[in-house]
Amino acid sequence: MKNTSKDRYEHKLQQFLKDVNVGQEHGIWSFDDWLKRKDEMMKKYGFTDEDFYKACRLTRSGTDNPYKKFDNKVARLKKKKELHNKLNSGKQDHYDEVGEQEIKDEDDFLGDITDGFYVSDWIDYDYEQDHKKE
């Protein structure tokens, strides 16, 4: 762990939460007992309610170690690695080939539709001459 004041403060917040919740995970205390314990620990550590909420936000509830600080860098690096692996897999070559084929098919289709139909052909077009009534 780094030794900056922010890191020391966050470590102190985590230790505070551990001390508050000692015995609570087994359902030993009632809610009132827990609030008393929390108030005692807040006095001991010199924390306010804002510090308590900040400590709660730092935790990772639902994990095997809820007091471990959540780090966004790890999640971002994991996502970046997954994307890198997908790009470097054989799938990407397949997707490139499919995309190129779709572009070629679209160009061929548009070419077939527009063959002989240009604006200059329509400017001089005389409808009456092609549809003479005899």
Side-chain angles (χ1 to χ4, degrees):
M1 175 179 248
K2 295 178 183 173
N3 200 13
T4 64
S5 62
K6 181 181 177 186
D7 291 325
R8 287 192 300 269
Y9 172 70
E10 289 176 352
H11 181 71
K12 191 174 178 183
L13 288 173
Q14 292 168 355
Q15 194 62 39
F16 162 72
L17 276 183
K18 284 181 185 178
D19 289 345
V20 168
N21 291 325
V22 170
Q24 180 62 23
E25 57 271 357
H26 301 293
I28 296 172
W29 300 337
S30 67
F31 185 69
D32 293 333
D33 293 338
W34 182 82
L35 286 176
K36 288 177 189 173
R37 172 81 176 175
K38 182 184 85 135
D39 291 338
E40 290 171 7
M41 290 295 118
M42 285 173 67
K43 285 180 185 175
K44 175 183 172 187
Y45 282 89
F47 286 156
T48 62
D49 284 333
E50 187 61 36
D51 294 324
F52 172 70
Y53 298 132
K54 195 177 289 186
C56 292
R57 286 192 301 267
L58 281 176
T59 62
R60 302 176 70 185
S61 60
T63 61
D64 28 330
N65 186 1
Y67 302 109
K68 185 176 179 184
K69 181 182 168 189
F70 181 73
D71 190 6
N72 282 337
K73 289 179 186 176
V74 173
R76 278 185 287 172
L77 287 174
K78 185 177 179 183
K79 185 171 269 193
K80 187 176 181 180
K81 186 176 180 180
E82 287 174 4
L83 288 173
H84 180 73
N85 289 341
K86 284 181 184 177
L87 283 174
N88 290 336
S89 68
K91 292 179 185 177
Q92 187 61 39
D93 295 335
H94 171 71
Y95 292 142
D96 289 343
E97 290 172 9
V98 170
E100 291 294 327
Q101 186 61 40
E102 286 177 358
I103 291 170
K104 184 179 179 301
D105 292 342
E106 185 177 325
D107 288 344
D108 291 344
F109 175 73
L110 291 174
D112 290 343
I113 290 176
T114 58
D115 266 351
F117 296 107
Y118 296 103
V119 175
S120 61
D121 295 340
W122 290 97
I123 291 175
D124 297 333
Y125 179 70
D126 187 8
Y127 182 80
E128 306 251 347
Q129 183 181 14
D130 286 347
H131 296 88
K132 289 183 181 175
K133 294 184 180 178
E134 294 183 22

